[in-house]
Amino acid sequence: MTIEKPARKTLEDNFAYRSDFKYTHDNPYHDKLEVFDSFVLRDEEAESNVGKWGQLFKNEKPIEVEIGTGYGEFMMEYCQKYPDVNFIGLDHRFKRSFSVAKKLDKLEHKNFRYLRARGERLEFMFQENEVQSVFYFFPDPWPKTRHHKKRLFQKPFLNACHKVLKPGGTLFVKTDHDGYFEWMLEHLKDETRFEVLLQSRDLRNEYPEHFLSQFTTKFEKIFLSQGTLIKSIVLRKI
């Protein structure tokens, strides 16, 4: 008797991209985040503000989004340096989100919201042409071949970015991982909806004065101390 192996899961099997996706979890930090409900939105709460972020911030300043805030260094520094933007950071890790929220709560400028949410939900959290910039820094590279389907940077993500970004809006990407960087370039080969403003395998040496070289995250400091080159892509919606 021949035993058939289960089919390998593909991107289409990722339930997080579907319109009927619902968050499910049992983590104590979900409830702990409620103490910061003046600026933290959890799970589907973010998706209830599609097209209404200006109302939530009570102004019409540009909306800028960071996917995967990590330990929050970029979000905190950027918000304080540029108080005239509405910054929305998101991450799906519970304990780390709680740690970042505690630090955000102490900042002088309150021009931000923090989402405990998944990056795959980008197009369900923002309306078409609602976002000025998207930042995607040092994501998990999922290096094993069988895990490549978990990489966010592929067609659905590019579709979502193109949808939510304003015309002329920008996607900023940084990674330490050579394999993921090559993967990104491969997925951009036939992409005609974005103009490539920057593409570098050594950002710090090739573009030391660029905006992206002015901010250093916790992970980036570690990579730089190890001599790892920082790869970067900047795309503008046509």
Side-chain angles (χ1 to χ4, degrees), residues 22 45 71 74 77 112 146-147 157 193 198 200 211:
K22 296 294 181 184
E45 291 175 350
Y71 292 95
F74 174 72
E77 185 177 356
F112 55 81
R146 69 177 183 273
H147 292 154
F157 176 65
R193 298 169 298 176
L198 180 147
S200 174
F211 155 78

Side-chain angles (χ1 to χ4, degrees), residues 15-121:
F15 191 49
Y17 287 104
R18 290 174 47 173
S19 60
D20 58 346
F21 170 81
K22 296 294 181 184
Y23 288 92
T24 58
H25 47 71
D26 181 18
N27 190 296
Y29 283 95
H30 174 77
D31 293 330
K32 288 183 178 182
L33 279 168
E34 190 173 8
V35 71
F36 302 113
D37 63 1
S38 62
F39 62 88
V40 171
L41 292 88
R42 300 169 297 168
D43 300 353
E44 288 89 0
E45 291 175 350
E47 298 180 25
S48 66
N49 287 288
V50 175
K52 302 176 183 176
W53 290 102
Q55 297 176 32
L56 190 67
F57 280 103
K58 298 180 180 179
N59 64 62
E60 296 301 322
K61 295 175 182 179
I63 294 173
E64 304 196 321
V65 180
E66 182 183 14
I67 299 175
T69 54
Y71 292 95
E73 298 93 344
F74 174 72
M75 179 177 179
M76 289 184 286
E77 185 177 356
Y78 190 85
C79 286
Q80 300 310 284
K81 187 172 183 178
Y82 300 103
D84 290 329
V85 303
N86 294 329
F87 195 96
I88 300 173
L90 67 94
D91 206 303
H92 72 276
R93 295 172 178 83
F94 285 99
K95 188 174 182 179
R96 188 180 296 176
S97 293
F98 182 73
S99 176
V100 171
K102 287 196 295 184
K103 291 182 282 189
L104 290 171
D105 192 44
K106 300 176 182 178
L107 296 183
E108 175 186 358
H109 300 297
K110 305 297 182 181
N111 56 324
F112 55 81
R113 291 293 186 277
Y114 186 87
L115 316 182
R116 209 306 298 186
R118 298 181 65 97
E120 296 96 329
R121 306 299 295 165

